[in-house]
Structures are given as structure tokens and as C-alpha cells.
Amino acid sequence: MAPKVVVKPKRAQPFYARHPWVFAGAIDRVEGEPADGAEVDLVSHADKFIARGLYNAKSKIQVRLYNWEPDAPLDRAFFHGRVERAVRLRHDVLKLSGPDAGYRVVFSESDFLTGMVVDKYADWLTVQFTALGLAQRREEIV
């Protein structure tokens, strides 16, 4: 069972609406002892599951949320699915492709991958991690 981050009373609404950042001021308490970068469950003051994210006590954004499904771990398959969805959007919907195409493949919060940006320049990809939890998982994500 993942450690829990409990939000203050009447502070949960933005997270039910899928806001991905939990600032320190919205947190009532942390149950368990999650390491920085660890997976945590965000719960309401009434102990109702809200979302799953990655914890960082040293950041002003103490939890970055990635999943609002209670039974889905933030594992390799999860991140693969998120990246694949972003790629399909750019190729199938936006029609961004071709040998010399340059575009943003993953756009952080817009693709529900807060703290990660991927850009494509012809045959090259660049990946930038701005969240500790994702940076710690860079091998499995890349």
C-alpha cells in the first residue's frame, strides 16, 4: 500500500478536476514515510482516494499527480501508455510527421506527464525532466 498524502479540508476540489500539482499549503499531513520520488496516494480529509502521484518533500509542488484510477500503479506500462497516447495525438490528429519534422512530442501537463517534455528534431529526441520522481524513473520512461 502506497503512503498517503492527505489534503486539508475543502482543498480537494482542484484535484478531482485533474489539476496535477499539489502544493505544500494544500497538504494536511503525510501518512507513512515516503522517500522523495516515491509513489503516493492523494486522499481527501475523509480518506477518499483522489489520485496517485509522485512525492517530493523538498519541492513547493510536493506531489505531482499522474493517475486518477485507484488500482493503476505508476509503472513502466503506465508511462509507456501515456507517451504512446501523446505520440498518437501528434501523428494521427495533428498530422505532425515526416523526416524533417520538429515538434513537441510530450508537453508536460498537457499530456498528463507533469515534469517531462520531449521534443523531436528530425531523427533526434530530447527529453527534459523537471520533476524528481520522473527523473528517477528516466531509464524505464526513455
Side-chain angles (χ1 to χ4, degrees), residues 63-125:
V63 182
R64 290 181 182 256
L65 300 175
Y66 297 95
N67 196 354
W68 284 260
E69 301 298 324
D71 298 324
L74 302 179
D75 57 10
R76 178 184 213 113
F78 172 81
F79 288 111
H80 180 268
R82 281 288 163 87
V83 171
E84 185 177 341
R85 187 170 90 181
V87 168
R88 278 196 321 266
L89 171 67
R90 273 59 177 194
H91 287 193
D92 299 346
V93 177
L94 301 176
K95 305 296 184 197
L96 300 173
S97 60
D100 295 327
Y103 57 93
R104 182 145 287 169
V105 179
V106 174
F107 199 8
S108 198
E109 288 79 13
S110 296
D111 290 309
F112 296 101
L113 285 166
T114 177
M116 185 171 98
V117 172
V118 179
D119 290 317
K120 179 184 183 298
Y121 302 98
D123 292 334
W124 296 91
L125 294 174

